[in-house]
Amino acid sequence: MQEIRLDGFKAAVDSAKNIVITNHTNPDGDAMGSALALKRVLEKLGKSVSVIVPNPYPEFLWHLAGNDSVMIYSDGKLAANAKIEAADMIFHLDYNAYSRAADMETALRAASATKVMIDHHQQPEDWPDFMYSDTGMSSTCQMIYELCDKMEWTGLLDKESAICIYTGIVTDTGSFKYSATSARTHEVASKLLELGVEPQQLHNKVFDSQPVARLRLLGAMLDQMEVSPDGKKVLLYLSEAQCKQLGYQKGITEGFVNYGLSISGSQLTIFLREEDGAVKLSLRSKGDFDVNTLAREHFNGGGHKNAAGGRIVMTMDEAIAHSKTHLGW
Ligand code: 5GP
Ligand code: MN
């Protein structure tokens, strides 16, 4: 599904001075890559741009250009609120519902700025003044490239912004393997390589620079994995006690859920992680099984057809039982 409302967008950018770029809670490679790439482009257009994100993000993203200037809302609300209030234009990248901005929601709703949503998740909310929503896109990062193409800004991209965009594309497509990877995704990637991206180096920074704790947590998770009797569903989980004992840090279990789909015959997998009296979860599926609907109906979440997430206020035992019921164990 596509919804594109960009008439007058270029003129609105031309007249904006102070721009704020936001993304979703627990920012991932696509959220940070898109925000920092767009910041760089808008700065080349002479804008004053602040990237404000709801909470901290993992270390493997700290090498992206502009990282040092990112404002973390949970670390300093006053300064961030002042920027949000003073902005003429606010971008909402890689999310399409105010609730995904977590504690920033109130300030964002109250802001008088022109609001621009650029996102590839299903069922966007309807408040933006300008909207570029396309659920068929590999990533919000690819959409930043497409936006530059539409606005004739590709000449403003450079090696640093290309690295940001490439990072979001590789992380959101599982290195070009998920179904939203299109011929155009590869075409965009090739243009990013022409701008100077070195895939091997970047993969090394993004995927092969992990702390020891990540592999210890992975081992514990795989050790207690459960497979349904029909072999089609896979349940993965880590308790809060295990996370604490093995050195959990925010973002460190990114991608763990995908191990559930690497088993022959598996079609649906869930990864549960207990934190602060609740359970954060990730769902992934193959083919027609729609985990976006499943997440919305039973797990207080949402996302895409084959990749979604949510959060339920339950103990781990309750969450395991709840998952088995709704996955059709
Ligand atoms: P992940 O499992 O990697 O956290 O998220 C998978 C997809 O679902 C991402 O596109 C993410 O934005 C979305 N998602 C994750 N958690 C939530 C949630 O709590 N609510 C909604 N609406 N989407 C989520
Ligand atoms: Mn994304």
Side-chain angles (χ1 to χ4, degrees):
M1 284 265 286
Q2 249 189 0
E3 192 175 344
I4 305 182
R5 285 191 268 122
L6 290 172
D7 287 349
F9 170 72
K10 203 168 180 179
V13 173
D14 281 345
S15 58
K17 275 204 197 100
N18 297 310
I19 298 182
V20 163
I21 299 175
T22 66
N23 58 28
H24 59 76
T25 185
N26 301 328
D28 58 5
D30 194 29
M32 290 317 303
S34 56
L36 292 170
L38 181 62
K39 174 181 156 78
R40 214 168 157 87
V41 169
L42 293 172
E43 281 176 346
K44 291 197 179 182
L45 290 168
K47 312 296 167 188
S48 164
V49 188
S50 306
V51 172
I52 310 179
V53 309
N55 60 352
Y57 51 92
E59 202 169 333
F60 72 85
L61 298 170
W62 296 355
H63 69 93
L64 298 178
N67 175 70
D68 292 347
S69 66
V70 173
M71 298 175 77
I72 312 255
Y73 194 78
S74 58
D75 291 349
K77 297 189 179 168
L78 281 181
N81 280 338
K83 291 277 185 199
I84 291 170
E85 264 172 44
D88 322 300
M89 182 174 268
I90 299 180
F91 282 87
H92 305 263
L93 302 187
D94 204 34
Y95 69 105
N96 63 17
Y98 270 129
S99 62
R100 297 280 294 138
D103 289 350
M104 288 165 63
E105 174 171 357
T106 310
L108 291 176
R109 277 185 189 275
S112 59
T114 299
K115 305 203 171 141
V116 188
M117 179 193 287
I118 304 175
D119 179 63
H120 65 138
H121 295 90
Q122 313 240 347
Q123 293 156 274
E125 289 179 354
D126 200 27
W127 40 261
D129 300 295
F130 295 104
M131 164 115 94
Y132 179 20
S133 163
D134 188 343
T135 60
M137 280 281 171
S138 69
S139 54
T140 301
C141 274
Q142 183 179 337
M143 298 176 78
I144 295 295
Y145 188 90
E146 306 296 1
L147 182 78
C148 290
D149 214 13
K150 288 180 204 291
M151 299 300 137
E152 300 177 328
W153 293 340
T154 48
L156 301 176
L157 293 170
D158 58 13
K159 180 175 178 180
E160 298 308 327
S161 45
I163 288 172
C164 292
I165 294 176
Y166 196 90
T167 297
I169 293 177
V170 287
T171 52
D172 255 33
T173 61
S175 304
F176 301 98
K177 70 173 180 272
Y178 301 149
S179 59
T181 309
S182 61
R184 174 66 181 166
T185 311
H186 284 280
E187 198 181 346
V188 169
S190 111
K191 295 187 190 297
L192 300 173
L193 263 60
E194 282 167 12
L195 284 165
V197 170
E198 294 163 288
Q200 192 193 1
Q201 255 189 33
L202 191 53
H203 268 256
N204 188 15
K205 283 189 181 147
V206 172
F207 298 109
D208 298 334
S209 305
Q210 301 291 351
V212 172
R214 178 176 159 95
L215 264 68
R216 303 242 184 262
L217 286 158
L218 179 62
M221 179 196 82
L222 294 176
D223 200 40
Q224 61 201 10
M225 168 183 80
E226 292 186 41
V227 181
S228 65
D230 65 6
K232 292 182 178 162
K233 297 129 212 161
V234 178
L235 175 88
L236 304 164
Y237 60 95
L238 284 170
S239 69
E240 188 150 27
Q242 288 177 308
C243 287
K244 280 201 173 125
Q245 191 202 340
L246 298 174
Y248 176 84
Q249 309 153 25
K250 199 164 259 315
I252 201 176
T253 56
E254 188 78 43
F256 276 21
V257 62
N258 297 308
Y259 284 90
L261 285 188
S262 69
I263 298 173
S264 170
S266 71
Q267 291 178 354
L268 176 59
T269 184
I270 190 165
F271 168 52
L272 308 168
R273 184 176 55 77
E274 190 181 15
E275 188 175 53
D276 301 333
V279 174
K280 168 79 186 96
L281 59 102
S282 293
L283 284 155
R284 298 290 187 270
S285 65
K286 281 184 195 155
D288 281 342
F289 199 100
D290 178 3
V291 289
N292 169 48
T293 305
L294 185 67
R296 280 173 193 269
E297 289 180 353
H298 301 292
F299 295 95
N300 301 318
H304 311 275
K305 188 172 147 210
N306 296 123
R311 186 173 178 274
I312 44 180
V313 182
M314 290 183 189
T315 64
M316 183 53 93
D317 285 348
E318 288 165 348
I320 289 173
H322 179 86
S323 301
K324 286 183 172 172
T325 302
H326 295 293
L327 265 58
W329 210 254

